[in-house]
Amino acid sequence: MSRAQVVDGVIAAGVAAALVVAGLSGAHRSAGLDVLGYAALAAGGLVLAARRRAPVAVLAATAVCALAYQAAGFEVPVVAYLFAVYAAVRAGHRVAAIVASVLMLAGIPLALLASGVPGAGAAFTQARDVLQLAWLIAAGAAGEALRQAERRADEAERTREETARRRADEERLHIARELHDSLTHQISVIKVQAEVAVHLARKRGEDVPEALLAIRDAGRDAARELRATLEALRDDDKNPPHGLEDVPGLVDRARSGGLDARLTIEGRCDDVPAAVGRTAYRIVQESLTNVVRHAAAASASVRIDHRPGTLVVRVDDDGETTVDSAPGVGLTGMRERVTALGGRLHAGPRREGGFSVRAELPVDDPA
């Protein structure tokens, strides 16, 4: 139970108790209708517990209860109805509150006449005491004032969110420009030089070294990845980012570079969210890159396990583990991606040697 519900319940119980006490201590004309009067007094207060969830229904219920105990001869002000008017106006139901109040202004004198008040003049005079017009207007004005304050607060929050989103867009474009200026030229030079070297070697009839072919392919992939990243930063969907379906290509490229890389896929899941697929691809990409660059490994295994509600990605190698006290940038980036999706990441040395990266990514409702 929320705090608001507890507060509403306490207020409803307090109003109900106050109305019943007022009925017990005040004079009432029809002794035979005591049970109906006390029941209407209690119900009129208790129904306020639902004023946030159903303000119009509570407004109607408190009005009916007020008319009922007035008709039963209880000269008790319609306090619960004033609370209901405040709640209805605060929720934005101003027309309903006005219509109900007009009906109440006409209905209370009739209820007093039915209870035995002699004469219409006396009924209207007593109705004025029961439903003070000033208090009725004050209740509606308080509800409207609070509604306007909440609306302004919502608009201010929305404005802050739009400002933050605009700044994020500007920063994203700035990053795209910086990446383009600093990396595109260098990667293009590496790719062109490698392709020229391969072409000249083949033209002379020489064997092309595997390392040179790997450099050429890596340059092509890096250029393609950079273009995709820049377009994603610019909100361009022409080249969508990589996902699970591109993991076999990563393993094949690692194998062509001399690493004994194996891929195992367990289970089947066709509705993996795009964000989860991208994160899984990046985890495999970063892990294999670390294996090739730093681990001096001979073999590596990539395992993708589709489980109910979870995608498990694991990359193991048999290389040398030299883990510093501070995690590297790549491992930090992987952990941030996994955490953003509400998943878990474990990375560390294996007992049998080598290094292991294991990520569990939720696929039901990613963040």
Side-chain angles (χ1 to χ4, degrees):
M1 182 178 294
S2 66
R3 180 181 178 183
Q5 291 175 327
V6 173
V7 172
D8 288 346
V10 172
I11 292 175
V15 172
L19 290 175
V20 172
V21 170
L24 290 172
S25 60
H28 49 279
R29 292 174 294 278
S30 303
L33 298 177
D34 284 356
V35 176
L36 173 63
Y38 288 124
L41 288 167
L46 294 176
V47 75
L48 291 175
R51 61 191 177 94
R52 295 180 193 266
R53 299 189 299 273
V56 176
V58 170
L59 181 68
T62 54
V64 171
C65 289
L67 293 175
Y69 65 70
Q70 293 296 329
F74 286 79
E75 300 176 7
V76 178
V78 289
V79 178
Y81 178 75
L82 297 178
F83 275 90
V85 169
Y86 161 80
V89 175
R90 179 180 176 182
H93 303 288
R94 289 173 291 183
V95 175
I98 293 173
V99 172
S101 297
V102 170
L103 294 176
M104 281 288 288
L105 290 172
I108 287 181
L110 297 177
L112 291 173
L113 288 173
S115 68
V117 173
F124 278 101
T125 300
Q126 189 169 333
R128 184 186 58 191
D129 297 332
V130 169
L131 182 61
Q132 288 284 350
L133 189 59
W135 285 108
L136 181 62
I137 295 174
E144 179 65 17
L146 190 55
R147 188 182 75 86
Q148 293 292 340
E150 291 174 346
R151 184 178 62 83
R152 287 193 294 269
D154 292 340
E155 290 179 353
E157 180 66 23
R158 188 162 51 251
T159 301
R160 284 194 295 269
E161 292 176 356
E162 291 175 354
T163 302
R165 191 180 302 112
R166 185 173 62 255
R167 289 177 179 173
D169 292 339
E170 294 173 354
E171 181 66 20
R172 187 166 59 245
L173 292 175
H174 174 71
I175 293 173
R177 287 193 296 268
E178 290 294 327
L179 286 174
H180 181 273
D181 294 340
S182 61
L183 295 181
T184 302
H185 176 70
Q186 287 85 347
I187 292 177
S188 298
V189 170
I190 294 173
K191 180 170 70 70
V192 170
Q193 293 287 349
E195 289 176 348
V196 170
V198 171
H199 173 73
L200 292 177
R202 287 175 175 172
K203 187 176 181 179
R204 291 193 296 264
E206 301 174 354
D207 293 334
V208 181
E210 291 294 332
L212 186 58
L213 292 174
I215 293 173
R216 183 197 62 182
D217 295 339
R220 291 175 178 175
D221 294 339
R224 185 169 53 252
E225 286 283 342
L226 183 58
R227 284 195 300 270
T229 301
L230 292 176
E231 290 173 356
L233 288 171
R234 291 170 175 151
D235 289 334
D236 190 348
D237 294 330
K238 294 180 181 179
N239 291 325
H242 292 294
L244 277 178
E245 64 276 5
D246 301 303
V247 171
L250 286 175
V251 178
D252 291 340
R253 285 194 291 274
R255 191 182 298 116
S256 66
L259 180 68
D260 182 14
R262 300 181 304 277
L263 173 64
T264 304
I265 300 177
E266 294 289 340
R268 181 176 178 83
C269 185
D270 298 326
D271 57 350
V272 174
V276 175
R278 290 194 298 268
T279 299
Y281 176 87
R282 293 302 182 189
I283 290 172
V284 176
Q285 182 186 47
E286 183 67 28
S287 299
L288 291 179
T289 300
N290 290 337
V291 171
V292 172
R293 291 179 179 175
H294 309 300
S299 65
S301 64
V302 178
R303 182 184 181 90
I304 298 177
D305 191 359
H306 295 277
R307 299 179 182 178
T310 305
L311 178 70
V312 180
V313 180
R314 180 164 182 168
V315 182
D316 298 328
D317 67 76
D318 60 355
E320 300 175 359
T321 57
T322 57
V323 182
D324 299 330
S325 58
V329 175
L331 181 59
T332 301
M334 280 192 287
R335 193 176 303 279
E336 290 174 350
R337 287 177 178 270
V338 173
T339 303
L341 294 175
R344 294 181 296 178
L345 178 72
H346 172 75
R350 299 193 303 164
R351 294 179 181 177
E352 58 271 27
F355 199 80
S356 176
V357 176
R358 175 188 170 91
E360 297 181 7
L361 305 173
V363 297
D364 289 335
D365 186 21

